[in-house]
Amino acid sequence: AKNIAILPKDGSLDETGALDCNGLRPEGDYLPDEGIDALTGKVNVFARAKPEDKLEIVKSLQRQGLVCAMTGDGVNDAP
């Protein structure tokens, strides 16, 4: 992400930086739609995403009227 300027090369992060996907489900259950929408509206990189996390991110972006796609290598993306 740093090499293609999605994240700052100096390692500094702000509110549009990276988020470990555990932040989508801090106590085991997913945040309410409004909470997930607030995160997906400002975060550029989601790390350690489970397939279920990816679906929640895509649904959130779609709720916000954005067109999005999900990719994966298939190795660890199967439910």
Side-chain angles (χ1 to χ4, degrees):
K2 291 176 184 175
N3 289 340
I4 59 172
I6 295 173
L7 293 176
K9 288 189 179 210
D10 65 4
S12 64
L13 292 177
D14 58 14
E15 69 277 356
T16 61
L19 175 75
D20 184 304
C21 282
N22 287 323
L24 298 174
R25 43 188 161 65
E27 296 179 17
D29 293 326
Y30 284 100
L31 295 170
D33 289 350
E34 299 80 20
I36 293 178
D37 292 352
L39 289 173
T40 59
K42 64 183 181 181
V43 173
N44 289 330
V45 177
F46 292 91
R48 297 188 176 107
K50 296 179 178 182
E52 300 85 10
D53 298 337
K54 292 179 182 182
L55 291 174
E56 290 298 323
I57 293 165
V58 167
K59 288 191 294 186
S60 172
L61 294 170
Q62 290 174 335
R63 276 194 302 273
Q64 297 173 60
L66 300 170
V67 176
C68 55
M70 177 174 56
T71 64
D73 62 12
V75 173
N76 62 349
D77 293 332

